[in-house]
Amino acid sequence: HVRNEQGERKLKFAFSSVSTGEFKFDPKKAAAILVDTVERWVGIKEKNNRVKVEVTLMEPIGSPVLKVLTEDPKYYSSKLCVSSGLLESVKNVHAICFGCTMRMCAAGENKSNIAIHKKMDEFENGKYSMKKLLKETTNDVFSQVAKAYVVGIPKEHPLCRDNKIKYICMARGPNMNENRDECLHGDYAIGERMLKATYESMFNAIAQIYRKQYKGENHQFPVYQQPTGVVPRPKYGFRNALLDYCGQ
Protein backbone atom coordinates (compact mmCIF):
# COMPACT_ATOMS: atom_id res chain seq x y z
CA HIS A 1 0.00 0.00 0.00
CA VAL A 2 1.01 3.63 -0.38
CA ARG A 3 1.04 6.36 2.26
CA ASN A 4 1.36 10.09 1.69
CA GLU A 5 3.58 12.49 3.64
CA GLN A 6 1.02 12.73 6.44
CA GLY A 7 1.00 8.96 6.85
CA GLU A 8 -2.50 8.55 5.38
CA ARG A 9 -3.33 5.52 3.31
CA LYS A 10 -3.50 6.34 -0.37
CA LEU A 11 -4.90 4.38 -3.31
CA LYS A 12 -3.70 5.60 -6.69
CA PHE A 13 -4.73 4.26 -10.07
CA ALA A 14 -5.04 5.43 -13.66
CA PHE A 15 -7.47 4.39 -16.38
CA SER A 16 -8.53 5.12 -19.91
CA SER A 17 -12.11 5.57 -21.09
CA VAL A 18 -14.08 2.44 -21.91
CA SER A 19 -16.21 1.77 -25.02
CA THR A 20 -15.32 5.09 -26.67
CA GLY A 21 -13.00 3.65 -29.29
CA GLU A 22 -13.83 0.44 -31.08
CA PHE A 23 -17.29 0.26 -29.46
CA LYS A 24 -18.19 3.83 -30.56
CA PHE A 25 -19.97 5.00 -27.40
CA ASP A 26 -21.00 8.66 -27.66
CA PRO A 27 -18.09 10.69 -26.18
CA LYS A 28 -20.26 13.29 -24.41
CA LYS A 29 -22.42 10.65 -22.76
CA ALA A 30 -19.29 8.66 -21.89
CA ALA A 31 -17.62 11.72 -20.35
CA ALA A 32 -20.64 12.50 -18.18
CA ILE A 33 -20.85 8.91 -16.92
CA LEU A 34 -17.13 8.73 -16.31
CA VAL A 35 -16.98 11.91 -14.22
CA ASP A 36 -20.14 11.14 -12.26
CA THR A 37 -19.01 7.59 -11.45
CA VAL A 38 -15.55 8.71 -10.30
CA GLU A 39 -16.96 11.49 -8.12
CA ARG A 40 -19.45 9.26 -6.33
CA TRP A 41 -17.12 6.27 -6.02
CA VAL A 42 -14.18 8.28 -4.66
CA GLY A 43 -16.44 10.14 -2.26
CA ILE A 44 -17.82 6.91 -0.82
CA LYS A 45 -14.41 5.22 -0.52
CA GLU A 46 -12.77 8.17 1.18
CA LYS A 47 -15.63 8.58 3.64
CA ASN A 48 -16.17 4.92 4.54
CA ASN A 49 -12.62 3.58 4.38
CA ARG A 50 -10.64 6.65 5.52
CA VAL A 51 -8.29 6.29 2.57
CA LYS A 52 -7.15 8.99 0.16
CA VAL A 53 -7.94 8.11 -3.45
CA GLU A 54 -6.17 9.64 -6.45
CA VAL A 55 -7.66 8.83 -9.85
CA THR A 56 -6.13 9.79 -13.19
CA LEU A 57 -7.79 9.51 -16.58
CA MET A 58 -5.06 9.04 -19.19
CA GLU A 59 -6.32 9.44 -22.73
CA PRO A 60 -4.31 9.31 -25.97
CA ILE A 61 -3.98 12.54 -27.94
CA GLY A 62 -6.95 12.84 -30.29
CA SER A 63 -9.35 11.03 -27.98
CA PRO A 64 -12.90 12.39 -28.38
CA VAL A 65 -13.50 11.96 -24.65
CA LEU A 66 -10.36 13.94 -23.86
CA LYS A 67 -11.62 16.74 -26.11
CA VAL A 68 -14.97 16.86 -24.30
CA LEU A 69 -13.44 16.82 -20.82
CA THR A 70 -10.85 19.51 -21.53
CA GLU A 71 -13.02 21.90 -23.54
CA ASP A 72 -16.29 21.86 -21.58
CA PRO A 73 -15.99 23.15 -17.97
CA LYS A 74 -19.18 21.40 -16.87
CA TYR A 75 -17.25 18.12 -16.89
CA TYR A 76 -14.63 19.36 -14.44
CA SER A 77 -14.20 17.35 -11.24
CA SER A 78 -11.78 17.96 -8.40
CA LYS A 79 -11.69 14.20 -7.80
CA LEU A 80 -10.39 13.37 -11.29
CA CYS A 81 -7.07 14.31 -12.88
CA VAL A 82 -7.36 14.36 -16.69
CA SER A 83 -4.18 13.93 -18.72
CA SER A 84 -3.21 13.20 -22.30
CA GLY A 85 -0.68 10.52 -23.08
CA LEU A 86 -0.04 6.81 -22.97
CA LEU A 87 -1.51 4.76 -20.16
CA GLU A 88 1.58 2.54 -19.99
CA SER A 89 3.73 5.62 -19.27
CA VAL A 90 2.01 6.31 -15.95
CA LYS A 91 4.21 5.84 -12.87
CA ASN A 92 3.72 5.16 -9.18
CA VAL A 93 0.13 3.96 -9.30
CA HIS A 94 -1.38 0.86 -7.79
CA ALA A 95 -3.00 -0.20 -11.07
CA ILE A 96 -3.88 0.78 -14.61
CA CYS A 97 -7.35 0.04 -15.98
CA PHE A 98 -8.71 -0.06 -19.52
CA GLY A 99 -11.37 -1.62 -21.70
CA CYS A 100 -10.89 -5.02 -23.29
CA THR A 101 -12.40 -6.87 -26.23
CA MET A 102 -14.65 -9.91 -26.10
CA ARG A 103 -11.61 -12.17 -26.45
CA MET A 104 -9.50 -10.97 -23.55
CA CYS A 105 -6.10 -12.01 -24.87
CA ALA A 106 -6.68 -10.03 -28.10
CA ALA A 107 -5.64 -6.38 -28.24
CA GLY A 108 -8.51 -5.23 -30.45
CA GLU A 109 -8.54 -1.61 -31.67
CA ASN A 110 -8.35 0.19 -28.32
CA LYS A 111 -5.09 2.19 -28.22
CA SER A 112 -4.46 1.56 -24.53
CA ASN A 113 -5.28 -2.11 -24.90
CA ILE A 114 -2.94 -2.47 -27.87
CA ALA A 115 -0.09 -0.66 -26.10
CA ILE A 116 -0.34 -2.66 -22.86
CA HIS A 117 -0.57 -5.99 -24.69
CA LYS A 118 2.50 -5.06 -26.72
CA LYS A 119 4.40 -3.98 -23.62
CA MET A 120 3.64 -7.25 -21.84
CA ASP A 121 4.15 -9.53 -24.85
CA GLU A 122 7.51 -8.08 -25.92
CA PHE A 123 9.28 -8.56 -22.60
CA GLU A 124 11.56 -11.62 -22.63
CA ASN A 125 9.84 -13.14 -25.67
CA GLY A 126 6.38 -13.19 -24.17
CA LYS A 127 7.33 -14.72 -20.82
CA TYR A 128 4.68 -12.54 -19.17
CA SER A 129 2.23 -12.11 -22.02
CA MET A 130 -1.32 -11.08 -21.22
CA LYS A 131 -2.51 -14.48 -22.39
CA LYS A 132 -0.30 -16.29 -19.86
CA LEU A 133 -1.12 -13.93 -17.00
CA LEU A 134 -4.85 -14.19 -17.63
CA LYS A 135 -4.64 -17.99 -17.44
CA GLU A 136 -3.37 -17.63 -13.89
CA THR A 137 -6.39 -15.64 -12.75
CA THR A 138 -9.40 -16.81 -14.78
CA ASN A 139 -10.66 -19.71 -16.82
CA ASP A 140 -12.66 -17.34 -19.01
CA VAL A 141 -11.60 -17.02 -22.63
CA PHE A 142 -14.29 -14.50 -23.46
CA SER A 143 -14.86 -11.46 -21.29
CA GLN A 144 -18.20 -10.68 -19.71
CA VAL A 145 -19.66 -7.20 -19.96
CA ALA A 146 -19.03 -5.10 -16.84
CA LYS A 147 -16.87 -7.73 -15.17
CA ALA A 148 -13.34 -6.74 -14.14
CA TYR A 149 -10.36 -9.01 -14.76
CA VAL A 150 -7.17 -8.30 -12.82
CA VAL A 151 -3.64 -9.59 -13.33
CA GLY A 152 -0.59 -8.91 -11.20
CA ILE A 153 2.48 -7.56 -13.00
CA PRO A 154 5.63 -9.58 -12.17
CA LYS A 155 8.23 -7.56 -10.27
CA GLU A 156 10.90 -7.95 -12.95
CA HIS A 157 8.69 -6.55 -15.73
CA PRO A 158 9.49 -2.90 -16.61
CA LEU A 159 5.94 -1.76 -15.85
CA CYS A 160 6.42 -2.89 -12.25
CA ARG A 161 10.18 -2.51 -11.86
CA ASP A 162 10.49 0.95 -13.46
CA ASN A 163 6.96 2.42 -13.45
CA LYS A 164 5.95 0.92 -10.08
CA ILE A 165 2.62 -0.36 -11.44
CA LYS A 166 1.44 -3.49 -9.62
CA TYR A 167 -1.72 -4.53 -11.43
CA ILE A 168 -3.54 -4.43 -14.75
CA CYS A 169 -7.33 -4.31 -14.67
CA MET A 170 -9.55 -4.84 -17.72
CA ALA A 171 -13.29 -4.83 -18.32
CA ARG A 172 -15.49 -4.90 -21.41
CA GLY A 173 -18.01 -2.12 -21.74
CA PRO A 174 -21.22 -1.79 -23.77
CA ASN A 175 -20.98 -1.84 -27.55
CA MET A 176 -22.61 0.64 -29.92
CA ASN A 177 -20.71 -0.50 -33.02
CA GLU A 178 -23.01 -2.24 -35.48
CA ASN A 179 -20.04 -4.19 -36.86
CA ARG A 180 -19.24 -5.81 -33.51
CA ASP A 181 -21.04 -8.51 -31.56
CA GLU A 182 -23.62 -7.76 -28.87
CA CYS A 183 -24.39 -4.29 -30.20
CA LEU A 184 -26.99 -2.23 -28.32
CA HIS A 185 -27.99 -0.44 -31.54
CA GLY A 186 -28.03 3.02 -30.00
CA ASP A 187 -30.00 2.08 -26.88
CA TYR A 188 -28.28 4.46 -24.47
CA ALA A 189 -30.89 3.92 -21.75
CA ILE A 190 -29.27 0.54 -21.19
CA GLY A 191 -25.80 1.46 -22.46
CA GLU A 192 -25.29 4.26 -19.95
CA ARG A 193 -26.15 1.99 -17.02
CA MET A 194 -23.84 -0.69 -18.33
CA LEU A 195 -20.96 1.74 -18.77
CA LYS A 196 -21.40 2.93 -15.20
CA ALA A 197 -21.38 -0.69 -14.01
CA THR A 198 -18.19 -1.33 -16.00
CA TYR A 199 -16.30 1.51 -14.32
CA GLU A 200 -17.58 0.54 -10.89
CA SER A 201 -16.50 -3.05 -11.47
CA MET A 202 -12.94 -1.98 -12.34
CA PHE A 203 -12.66 0.47 -9.46
CA ASN A 204 -14.06 -2.03 -6.96
CA ALA A 205 -11.65 -4.70 -8.16
CA ILE A 206 -8.65 -2.46 -7.51
CA ALA A 207 -10.02 -1.35 -4.13
CA GLN A 208 -10.56 -4.98 -3.14
CA ILE A 209 -6.94 -5.88 -3.90
CA TYR A 210 -5.65 -2.75 -2.17
CA ARG A 211 -7.62 -3.65 0.96
CA LYS A 212 -6.20 -7.17 0.99
CA GLN A 213 -2.65 -5.87 0.60
CA TYR A 214 -3.16 -3.35 3.38
CA LYS A 215 -4.17 -6.21 5.67
CA GLY A 216 -0.92 -7.98 4.81
CA GLU A 217 -2.38 -10.73 2.66
CA ASN A 218 -0.33 -12.11 -0.23
CA HIS A 219 -2.29 -11.17 -3.31
CA GLN A 220 0.20 -11.14 -6.16
CA PHE A 221 -2.08 -12.91 -8.64
CA PRO A 222 -5.62 -12.32 -7.39
CA VAL A 223 -8.65 -14.36 -8.30
CA TYR A 224 -11.20 -11.60 -8.56
CA GLN A 225 -14.71 -12.34 -7.30
CA GLN A 226 -17.43 -10.82 -9.44
CA PRO A 227 -19.40 -8.23 -7.41
CA THR A 228 -23.17 -8.45 -7.13
CA GLY A 229 -25.11 -6.53 -9.73
CA VAL A 230 -22.79 -7.29 -12.64
CA VAL A 231 -24.42 -8.86 -15.65
CA PRO A 232 -23.23 -12.44 -16.31
CA ARG A 233 -22.73 -13.64 -19.85
CA PRO A 234 -26.33 -14.24 -20.97
CA LYS A 235 -27.63 -17.67 -21.86
CA TYR A 236 -30.81 -16.42 -23.45
CA GLY A 237 -29.82 -13.30 -25.33
CA PHE A 238 -27.66 -10.32 -24.48
CA ARG A 239 -30.39 -7.70 -24.71
CA ASN A 240 -32.77 -9.60 -22.43
CA ALA A 241 -30.05 -9.97 -19.83
CA LEU A 242 -29.44 -6.22 -19.90
CA LEU A 243 -33.15 -5.50 -19.57
CA ASP A 244 -33.31 -7.80 -16.55
CA TYR A 245 -30.30 -6.10 -14.98
CA CYS A 246 -31.75 -2.64 -15.51
CA GLY A 247 -35.10 -3.68 -14.08
CA GLN A 248 -37.08 -3.01 -17.23
Side-chain angles (χ1 to χ4, degrees):
H1 59 278
V2 179
R3 288 181 180 270
N4 61 17
E5 295 178 353
Q6 289 73 40
E8 298 174 315
R9 287 188 292 153
K10 182 189 293 186
L11 169 60
K12 298 174 64 176
F13 63 89
F15 72 105
S16 60
S17 61
V18 176
S19 291
T20 55
E22 181 179 355
F23 287 169
K24 300 188 181 303
F25 204 96
D26 180 83
K28 289 187 176 181
K29 295 181 186 294
I33 294 167
L34 185 157
V35 172
D36 179 67
T37 304
V38 168
E39 280 194 332
R40 289 186 300 101
W41 188 88
V42 171
I44 291 172
K45 291 299 176 184
E46 290 187 334
K47 179 180 178 180
N48 295 345
N49 299 322
R50 297 186 298 277
V51 57
K52 179 68 176 176
V53 182
E54 292 187 9
V55 184
T56 299
L57 175 72
M58 185 66 75
E59 286 288 288
I61 296 175
S63 161
V65 171
L66 180 65
K67 180 179 175 64
V68 172
L69 291 173
T70 54
E71 293 184 358
D72 193 333
K74 75 177 182 180
Y75 294 106
Y76 169 77
S77 171
S78 61
K79 298 185 183 299
L80 177 65
C81 174
V82 179
S83 299
S84 62
L86 303 175
L87 187 62
E88 70 274 17
S89 67
V90 174
K91 294 185 178 181
N92 299 311
V93 296
H94 200 70
I96 52 176
C97 313
F98 53 91
C100 67
T101 60
M102 181 178 291
R103 185 179 291 276
M104 285 186 290
C105 61
E109 298 177 11
N110 180 290
K111 289 184 179 179
S112 295
N113 201 338
I114 292 172
I116 298 300
H117 273 77
K118 183 178 180 181
K119 195 85 171 180
M120 298 302 295
D121 294 350
E122 286 182 346
F123 182 69
E124 293 192 2
N125 297 317
K127 180 179 179 180
Y128 300 121
S129 68
M130 289 297 296
K131 184 176 182 179
K132 291 180 179 179
L133 293 179
L134 283 165
K135 282 185 176 180
E136 297 191 31
T137 59
T138 178
N139 292 322
D140 294 344
V141 175
F142 297 99
S143 62
Q144 298 179 24
V145 175
K147 177 180 177 180
Y149 298 86
V150 183
V151 297
I153 305 175
K155 292 182 179 179
E156 57 266 38
H157 192 281
L159 283 178
C160 183
R161 184 191 64 216
D162 302 332
N163 292 27
K164 310 303 181 186
I165 303 171
K166 296 181 179 179
Y167 296 96
I168 291 172
C169 179
M170 302 183 296
R172 178 159 61 97
N175 174 35
M176 294 294 177
N177 187 344
E178 301 282 348
N179 297 319
R180 294 291 182 268
D181 293 333
E182 298 182 350
C183 179
L184 293 178
H185 304 287
D187 191 342
Y188 280 97
I190 293 177
E192 289 178 11
R193 298 181 189 182
M194 290 309 307
L195 187 57
K196 173 187 171 184
T198 302
Y199 284 124
E200 289 179 342
S201 179
M202 290 196 300
F203 300 166
N204 286 335
I206 298 306
Q208 179 183 2
I209 294 170
Y210 174 85
R211 187 166 56 250
K212 286 180 178 292
Q213 282 197 328
Y214 183 74
K215 291 180 178 179
E217 300 177 21
N218 183 8
H219 214 60
Q220 178 63 26
F221 289 102
V223 178
Y224 176 63
Q225 300 299 318
Q226 180 176 346
T228 57
V230 175
V231 179
R233 188 170 180 81
K235 296 180 180 179
Y236 57 96
F238 180 70
R239 183 178 178 80
N240 288 336
L242 292 176
L243 289 172
D244 287 348
Y245 170 75
C246 296
Q248 299 183 11

